[in-house]
Amino acid sequence: MFFHIVLERNMQLHPRYFGRNLRDNLVSKLMKDVEGTCSGRHGFVVAVTGIENIGKGLIRDGTGFVTFPVKYQCVVFRPFKGEILEAVVTMVNKMGFFAEAGPVQIFVSNHLIPDDMEFQSGDIPNYTTSDGSVKIQKDSEVRLKIIGTRVDATEIFCIGTIKDDFLGVINDPTTV
C-alpha cells in the first residue's frame, strides 16, 4: 500500500555547493540519497513530493561540511498482510516461485499454489494446470495475496499465496 508521509533527515553538504543554488543542491542531494531506499519502519521511499522545512545549518568542526535538518514529504510503499498485489514472476523452481511487485520480492511456496497445478521442469520451468490452460513461468503476471511479511532494517520480504478466489495468472507471456 502507498502512503504519503512526512520524514526528517540530516543532510550534509560540501561547501562547494553553497551559494545561490544552495536550496536546489540540498533538494537534489536529498532526492538522490532517499528515493529508492528502504527503511523497515516506513517502507520503500518511492518519491520525494515536497520540502516542508530546511532548518539552520550547523558547521561540522574541521571539515567545512554543514549539516541541515530537512523535513520532507514523500510517497512510501509498504506491503501488509492480507493485501492483494499484482506482481511479475522472476524465477520458478520446484519449491515455488519468486515474484516482484515494484521493489518488494514475494515468494509463493508450492504449498500455496492450487493443487491442480504441477511443476514442470525443462528449459523453461513452470507450474501448469493438468489441462494445460494456465501456466506460471518467468515474466508471467500474477495476482497474489500477501500472507506474511518480515521486516529488516533495510529490506522487506513477503510470502504470498495464489490459492484463493480471483488469484493467479493475469497475463501469460506465451500468449502475447
Side-chain angles (χ1 to χ4, degrees), residues 131-144:
D131 63 354
S133 62
V134 179
K135 187 184 282 189
I136 298 174
Q137 63 185 33
K138 188 177 186 307
D139 297 327
S140 295
E141 293 177 23
V142 293
R143 181 174 294 125
L144 48 83

Side-chain angles (χ1 to χ4, degrees), residues 98-163:
F98 287 93
E100 287 181 351
V104 71
Q105 190 170 44
I106 304 157
F107 177 69
V108 179
S109 167
N110 59 4
H111 301 293
L112 299 169
I113 296 173
D115 296 330
D116 67 331
M117 297 189 93
E118 288 198 17
F119 179 70
Q120 309 289 322
S121 60
D123 54 340
I124 302 174
N126 61 65
Y127 282 90
T128 310
T129 53
S130 53
D131 63 354
S133 62
V134 179
K135 187 184 282 189
I136 298 174
Q137 63 185 33
K138 188 177 186 307
D139 297 327
S140 295
E141 293 177 23
V142 293
R143 181 174 294 125
L144 48 83
K145 180 179 183 179
I146 295 177
I147 59 169
T149 60
R150 190 181 91 214
V151 179
D152 284 348
T154 58
E155 277 187 298
I156 299 174
F157 303 99
C158 295
I159 301 293
T161 181
I162 59 169
K163 208 176 193 179

